[in-house]
Amino acid sequence: MSRILTVIVMVVVLVFGIFLGARLNRGGDDRSGSEKKIFDAYTLIRDLYVDDVQVDSLAGAGIRGMVESLDPHSVYLDPEEVSFSQAEFDGNFDGIGIEFDIINDTLLVVTPLSGGPSAAVGIAAGDRIVAIDSVSAIGITHQEVLRKLRGKRGTTVKLKVFRPLSGKVMDFLVTRGRISTSSIDAAFMIDKSTGYIRLSRFVATTSKEFRKALETLRKQGMKRLIVDLRGNPGGFLEEAVQVADEFLGKERLVVYTKSTKNAVEDVRYESKAGDGFESGSVVVLVDKGSASASEILAGAIQDNKRGVIIGELTFGKGLVQRQFEFTDGSALRLTVSRYYTPSGRQIQRTYRKGGAGRESYYKDAIVDVHPEKLFTDPGGFLYLKNKDISVYATGSLSGLLSNPVNGSTFREGQYDLLKDSGGIIPDYWVIGRPYAEFYQELYRTGSFEYLAQRVLDDPQSTVQQYRESLDRFMSGYSQESRLEALVIKVCAEKKITFNKRSFLQEQKQIALAVKARLAHRIFGAEGQIRVYIMQSDPLIEVAAKVMGSGEASAR
């Protein structure tokens, strides 16, 4: 009996071996060796692995592995992620407002969305979320992130965050909110002739929204314009081109893309004739959170000498992705080309391929590159300096990067450092004074929102006199006489050590932060932006000085 059983088993194994061999060799004639290897590995795991394997998960993991070996911006999205991603462009979802990635099992904040709940409490690009609601986030999947961080508006989520730059672990309480996909956070007149537009991202409706805002401001007498791209992570290339078109005359080069493999991706984007804002001074505000489509717009303005760029060195993302969808609803967002500014600058920051390369890429994004570290004689570039900011006139550097000249402008190795940093170099590079630790602790713990609510709930507060007019509120409302007592009480409730000396040093900024949040509660998001822009933003002061000298239109 045992011999018969043995024969049967041998026959079964032989038949299965023949079947498997046929499956592995099928199609071998029209597959390269590497392609066949991938297919063979997939088939072996699917058919012979000791435990059950879900084929969709196996295929997805394989694609993720391949994509991880590429650049930091190529990604695989499963069907649920595609759905959530589309919702970000369509609107109507609630969450904490971050773009994220998972690198080496760690949840990484790629960027907090401008004006979103995470940005409001001070979560920064490059932060690592290590726990969500006291549950470890190490090893979390993309789907789990979406399920845990999105939720009903007004609900809260506790995040434990590691910040590599400081080496600190911090706790944040984030209140979920509606994540608006409107491109324009604010559009208003700063004075009788200066308009201001804040663009938070580039989605399918951006150019339409921008043209509408331009027309509204022109009717109000706008002769010069400040476009604020700080914290704008980018979006659709085509929308950035159309916004740039509003400032440029006919047939001016906006941007061009090149691919080493596919000539279809080699495209030149030029402006068309129109009635946008082709004359009048233009200033574009940028920071290290301005990326991708934001850099396309800034580069087009700068290279065509249409306006002046003010702020920090931008993020440095010069890769173009195209999304390819699979039949199961998943998608591959693949880098297909690089983009170049009109002068031929390829502003992509250097990166190493693979998981470790991705991690260091986003970590480096939060490291400041300061002019003081780059120039042999930084004082020779100094344009303005006061107790709050230092401003360097660095408009010549972009040309030097394209056509390096031997001389004393750079110390040894500094030229390579700046070139490797990528990004758009602002014409006026602004370095601000860092906030004190006490102020940052109030910011991180959401204490400013809490203080604003305390003031609003107090019927004796002077803020009650200004509820009917934002203009009156901005000009007439000042800090509460009991601000210090309120801060002490909030510090006790949130277990923050009250520092009298730091409070006095930062009292003006603390009062302004509370005032801005009061404006948000009473007059909406634009009210908060107007308070900051018109009453405390040093870049607006620099822009006013530059525009007053005529430099904004003379470039």
Side-chain angles (χ1 to χ4, degrees):
M1 187 71 177
S2 60
R3 292 181 61 188
I4 295 174
L5 180 59
T6 301
V7 171
I8 293 174
V9 170
M10 290 177 64
V11 170
V12 170
V13 170
L14 178 61
V15 170
F16 181 76
I18 294 171
F19 167 77
L20 180 59
R23 294 288 300 274
L24 291 178
N25 289 321
R26 187 175 59 191
D29 292 339
D30 55 4
R31 287 193 183 94
S32 69
S34 56
E35 291 173 332
K36 183 177 181 299
K37 183 178 179 180
I38 293 171
F39 177 76
D40 288 354
Y42 168 80
T43 306
L44 286 167
I45 295 170
R46 182 195 63 192
D47 293 344
L48 296 180
Y49 183 66
V50 63
D51 295 323
D52 289 337
V53 176
Q54 292 185 345
V55 291
D56 289 343
S57 299
L58 186 61
I63 298 172
R64 286 189 194 278
M66 287 190 287
V67 168
E68 190 175 89
S69 69
L70 306 176
D71 65 274
H73 298 290
S74 292
V75 295
Y76 169 74
L77 305 173
D78 63 34
E80 189 172 16
E81 289 174 295
V82 171
S83 177
F84 278 123
S85 178
Q86 187 60 45
E88 291 179 4
F89 289 102
D90 294 341
N92 302 319
F93 75 95
D94 301 328
I96 69 167
I98 63 168
E99 290 186 10
F100 71 91
D101 199 356
I102 295 176
I103 307 295
N104 294 334
D105 291 330
T106 302
L107 175 54
L108 170 83
V109 178
V110 173
T111 183
L113 299 181
S114 176
S118 292
V121 298
I123 289 176
D127 283 348
R128 273 69 163 171
I129 299 175
V130 296
I132 301 173
D133 287 331
S134 302
V135 178
S136 173
I138 305 301
I140 195 170
T141 67
H142 284 71
Q143 298 96 318
E144 289 171 332
V145 173
L146 295 170
R147 294 185 189 117
K148 289 187 174 185
L149 297 187
R150 293 192 175 179
K152 187 176 181 181
R153 198 182 332 172
T155 59
T156 59
V157 57
K158 296 178 182 177
L159 303 178
K160 187 175 290 293
V161 170
F162 172 67
R163 183 162 292 170
L165 199 60
S166 64
K168 293 182 178 179
V169 176
M170 299 171 286
D171 294 313
F172 290 90
L173 182 65
V174 186
T175 302
R176 295 181 179 93
R178 174 56 54 90
I179 308 302
S180 171
T181 55
S182 172
S183 299
I184 296 179
D185 290 342
F188 53 84
M189 297 294 291
I190 292 178
D191 56 40
K192 291 183 179 180
S193 61
T194 307
Y196 170 90
I197 298 177
R198 183 169 205 151
L199 269 174
S200 61
R201 71 206 72 188
F202 290 87
V203 295
T205 58
T206 296
S207 57
K208 181 179 180 181
E209 293 176 46
F210 192 79
R211 283 190 289 269
K212 182 178 179 180
L214 271 181
E215 183 61 27
T216 299
L217 294 179
R218 288 175 70 179
K219 289 179 179 178
Q220 296 177 36
M222 180 182 66
K223 304 297 182 186
R224 50 192 189 179
L225 175 64
I226 298 173
V227 180
D228 195 343
L229 298 178
R230 288 174 291 182
N232 185 322
F236 293 143
L237 179 152
E238 291 80 3
E239 291 296 310
V241 169
Q242 291 192 50
V243 171
D245 193 4
E246 298 299 316
F247 301 104
L248 303 174
K250 186 178 180 180
E251 295 180 351
R252 302 295 294 272
L253 182 60
V254 177
V255 66
Y256 65 95
T257 61
K258 287 182 69 65
S259 171
T260 58
K261 292 184 177 179
N262 188 356
V264 174
E265 301 296 342
D266 295 350
V267 183
R268 289 174 60 88
Y269 296 87
E270 295 182 348
S271 59
K272 304 173 183 177
D275 298 321
F277 196 71
E278 295 179 6
S279 61
S281 296
V282 177
V283 163
V284 179
L285 307 182
V286 297
D287 64 9
K288 60 187 176 184
S290 306
S292 190
S294 294
E295 295 170 296
I296 289 174
L297 176 56
I301 295 294
Q302 188 177 62
D303 283 2
N304 282 289
K305 302 187 185 307
R306 180 62 187 87
V308 171
I309 314 301
I310 298 176
E312 300 174 320
L313 182 69
T314 60
F315 183 90
K317 179 181 181 292
L319 303 177
V320 182
Q321 286 74 48
R322 191 175 300 282
Q323 185 162 305
F324 302 91
E325 297 186 356
F326 300 112
T327 55
D328 66 347
S330 62
L332 176 62
R333 192 173 290 168
L334 185 68
T335 296
V336 294
S337 62
R338 298 175 182 270
Y339 77 75
Y340 298 79
T341 70
S343 67
R345 285 182 291 167
Q346 207 299 105
I347 57 86
Q348 173 61 46
R349 185 155 43 88
T350 57
Y351 60 87
R352 290 183 294 111
K353 295 181 178 181
R358 288 189 180 221
E359 185 171 6
S360 61
Y361 178 80
Y362 287 112
K363 181 179 179 180
D364 292 344
I366 62 176
V367 177
D368 292 328
V369 179
H370 286 177
E372 294 97 325
K373 300 177 182 178
L374 291 169
F375 312 138
T376 304
D377 178 24
F381 290 87
L382 193 63
Y383 174 77
L384 172 69
K385 186 170 185 176
N386 57 37
K387 63 183 179 65
D388 294 318
I389 58 172
S390 297
V391 184
Y392 298 87
T394 54
S396 62
L397 288 183
S398 57
L400 286 175
L401 283 176
S402 300
N403 300 289
V405 177
N406 293 328
S408 59
T409 303
F410 298 102
R411 297 192 193 101
E412 184 179 356
Q414 291 174 330
Y415 171 83
D416 291 334
L417 174 62
L418 186 57
K419 195 171 182 65
D420 290 348
S421 297
I424 299 294
I425 303 170
D427 299 301
Y428 293 88
W429 197 330
V430 182
I431 306 299
R433 174 181 65 86
Y435 288 109
E437 185 68 28
F438 180 64
Y439 180 94
Q440 293 185 47
E441 187 73 359
L442 292 174
Y443 186 5
R444 180 183 65 79
T445 55
S447 296
F448 295 135
E449 284 78 5
Y450 198 62
L451 285 163
Q453 193 58 53
R454 285 291 185 88
V455 172
L456 281 174
D457 291 343
D458 182 2
Q460 304 303 315
S461 169
T462 57
V463 76
Q464 310 302 334
Q465 306 169 25
Y466 301 98
R467 283 179 169 271
E468 302 302 319
S469 168
L470 176 57
D471 290 334
R472 285 190 62 245
F473 172 82
M474 291 184 62
S475 61
Y477 178 77
S478 59
Q479 71 181 55
E480 297 288 324
S481 59
R482 299 182 297 107
L483 180 64
E484 183 176 351
L486 282 172
V487 171
I488 291 173
K489 189 171 184 179
V490 168
C491 284
E493 292 176 5
K494 291 185 173 288
K495 296 181 174 57
I496 300 171
T497 301
F498 178 77
N499 187 315
K500 175 78 170 183
R501 182 178 179 181
S502 292
F503 172 78
L504 293 176
Q505 289 177 339
E506 300 287 342
Q507 185 171 359
K508 180 180 177 181
Q509 293 301 321
I510 291 172
L512 186 68
V514 175
K515 181 175 181 177
R517 284 155 179 80
L518 285 169
H520 193 169
R521 300 290 182 92
I522 301 172
F523 304 105
E526 185 168 305
Q528 178 173 345
I529 293 171
R530 287 185 64 178
V531 168
Y532 273 124
I533 290 299
M534 299 178 70
Q535 299 192 341
S536 74
D537 194 335
L539 266 66
I540 297 297
E541 297 177 19
V542 177
K545 183 175 176 63
V546 169
M547 285 178 159
S549 68
E551 294 174 72
S553 55
R555 273 191 51 80

